[in-house]
Every structure is written in C-alpha cells, then in structure tokens.
Amino acid sequence: MLYDRYASKVYNKCITLTHDTEVAKDLTHDIFIKAFASISSFKGKSTFFTWIYAITYNTCIDYLRKSNMYVDTPIDDKNMPASNDEIDDGELMRVELDRLKKLLKDISTDDTIILFMKYQDGMTIKDIGEVFQIGESAAKMRVNRAKKKLIDLYNKRYRHSIYY
Amino acid sequence: MKDCEKNPFKKIHIDREVPEEIKISVMKNITLIRLFGEITDLFSVKMGRTAMELLKRGKNNNF
C-alpha cells in the first residue's frame, strides 16, 4: 500500500523541515489525506515519489509560512542574474556537518529545500522543476544559486577564521 | 567511502520510525472520505431522480 511505502520518507522529511516530531505527525497525516483526495490529479507525468514529495514539501512550506518560520529569499537574490559558474559539488561535500546545519538555518527556506531535494533525496533537476512547477533550466539555475549562497556564506563565516 | 559518509546532507537525514497512530488516523479518515463520497453519490442519484419525478408530475398535472 502507498502509505506503507512512503510514510517513513514523508514523516522523516517533515521532521527534517520542521524540527518538531509532533508537528511532523500532523503534517504526515494531512499529506496522506491530501494525496488520497487528489489521487485523480496524478497523471503519471512524474514518478509517484516526486508527486508525493511535491505534496510533502508544499505542505511543510505552508506550515512554516503560517508559523512565521519560513525564511523568504531576499529580493536582491531573486533578481540576481543567472550565473553560469557551476559550483563544484565537492565544495559542498567538504562542509562539516555541524556547520552545514547552521548554514542551512541562515539561507532561505526555498534554498534549503532545493539543496535537500538534490543532495539528500537525490532528485533530478527535472523532478525539482516539477515540484516547483518550473522548467528544467530554471530549476538548474535555482539549484546553482542555492549552492552558491551556501558556499558563499560558508566562506564568509568560516574560511577567513583560518587566518586569525 | 560510502555516499552517506562523504555527503553531509545524507548525514542530516533523520530516520525515525513512523508512529502507528498516524497510520490508524489516516486509515480512519480515508474510510470517512470514501463513505462521504459514496453518500454524496447516492444522494445526488436520489435527488436527481426526485427532481425528474417532480418535473414529470408537473407536466402531467398541467398546473
């Protein structure tokens, strides 16, 4: 059954995003009810995993917005021109765990979610685009921006400390 | 080196067991939604018939 197959992934994702197991319980419940109620809207264009993840992420974002825990992307960043510089994944992989946790709290919620999708859930650019209802090139740009912001913040916060 | 050992994002991943109460609650609500859907279907069929009968009766009575 769908519940047995996806409940663990949905529940744990809710905990990761809300940091609250009680809230995660309620959200998991709501996500499965929403999925059941809107199953007819699943057209099979994406995998079922992507479809249920889209509901999960959107439900969590709604909760974070209502609870004033949603960190919006600064307007300057939204207008930031697309960068062609590919950020090496190796740089991200070298970020220490405790530092990464702190950095993720200080970038926008959308950027955090995009990075989770790409590096925790292993979603493709196409799948990320489908969750955010944007094209592949826009999704690729947003992944790149999120990576850049995290690395920039990391460099600003920790790299200079080596010299002092 | 395993993927999760070099990827700090994988290390953040939380792996807790899903409480059984969520499943019970989801199943209860899905049953209720199904039941509500069936009642709605039955009601609309019944009301549709009733409306048709009223129309027919109206024609025959020539009010």
Side-chain angles (χ1 to χ4, degrees):
Chain A
M1 196 196 158
L2 291 176
Y3 179 89
D4 294 324
R5 194 162 175 190
Y6 296 103
S8 174
K9 284 176 181 163
V10 169
Y11 177 62
N12 285 305
K13 189 57 62 190
C14 290
I15 299 177
T16 306
L17 295 174
T18 64
H19 311 287
D20 188 323
T21 50
E22 286 307 308
V23 169
K25 278 186 200 173
D26 290 343
L27 293 180
T28 304
H29 169 271
D30 293 352
I31 288 159
F32 278 97
I33 298 300
K34 274 185 199 171
F36 175 76
S38 58
I39 194 87
S40 59
S41 72
F42 175 64
K43 306 287 181 201
K45 284 181 187 170
S46 58
T47 61
F48 195 80
F49 170 80
T50 306
W51 185 74
I52 201 133
Y53 255 40
I55 301 176
T56 303
Y57 277 111
N58 289 325
T59 306
C60 288
I61 288 172
D62 281 348
Y63 167 79
L64 294 171
R65 278 212 172 100
K66 282 176 192 160
S67 323
N68 292 325
M69 289 158 73
Y70 180 86
V71 182
D72 206 356
T73 309
I75 294 166
D76 288 351
D77 288 354
K78 281 180 186 167
N79 297 330
M80 197 167 77
S83 167
N84 292 324
D85 302 336
E86 277 285 334
I87 311 284
D88 180 18
D89 281 353
E91 273 195 76
L92 273 183
M93 298 305 126
R94 282 192 289 273
V95 176
E96 300 84 349
L97 183 62
D98 56 334
R99 287 181 173 179
L100 179 66
K101 283 180 184 172
K102 286 176 191 163
L103 293 167
L104 287 172
K105 282 181 185 168
D106 293 333
I107 59 172
S108 73
T109 305
D110 278 357
D111 287 335
T112 303
I113 283 171
I114 283 171
L115 292 171
F116 276 144
M117 284 175 173
K118 180 88 171 81
Y119 297 103
Q120 195 177 69
D121 307 325
M123 288 170 79
T124 62
I125 295 291
K126 185 174 175 277
D127 288 343
I128 294 171
E130 273 167 21
V131 171
F132 283 96
Q133 297 182 321
I134 53 175
E136 274 187 58
S137 57
K140 193 177 177 185
M141 192 182 75
R142 284 177 72 166
V143 169
N144 217 28
R145 269 187 194 173
K147 274 159 72 173
K148 188 173 180 338
K149 271 187 245 172
L150 192 104
I151 291 295
D152 283 351
L153 191 60
Y154 176 81
N155 288 338
K156 192 175 157 190
R157 206 172 273 182
Y158 301 109
R159 283 277 165 89
H160 76 279
S161 62
I162 295 167
Y163 305 107
Y164 294 100
Chain B
M1 192 182 268
K2 282 181 190 171
D3 187 33
C4 60
E5 285 171 8
K6 60 182 177 185
N7 182 345
F9 287 90
K10 296 265 184 198
K11 289 182 197 163
I12 291 178
H13 178 71
I14 293 162
D15 195 15
R16 294 204 192 149
E17 207 170 306
V18 190
E20 190 63 18
E21 63 190 85
I22 304 176
K23 186 172 182 174
I24 294 166
S25 175
V26 167
M27 295 309 148
K28 258 187 199 170
N29 277 290
I30 286 177
T31 310
L32 275 174
I33 292 168
R34 273 192 182 142
L35 194 66
F36 184 74
E38 280 167 19
I39 289 169
T40 311
D41 284 349
L42 274 173
F43 184 75
S44 59
V45 169
K46 177 81 180 162
M47 283 307 286
R49 266 191 208 152
T50 312
M52 195 61 83
E53 278 166 16
L54 278 170
L55 277 170
K56 278 180 187 168
R57 209 181 293 166
K59 266 187 186 173
N60 294 338
N61 287 343
N62 291 323
F63 288 126

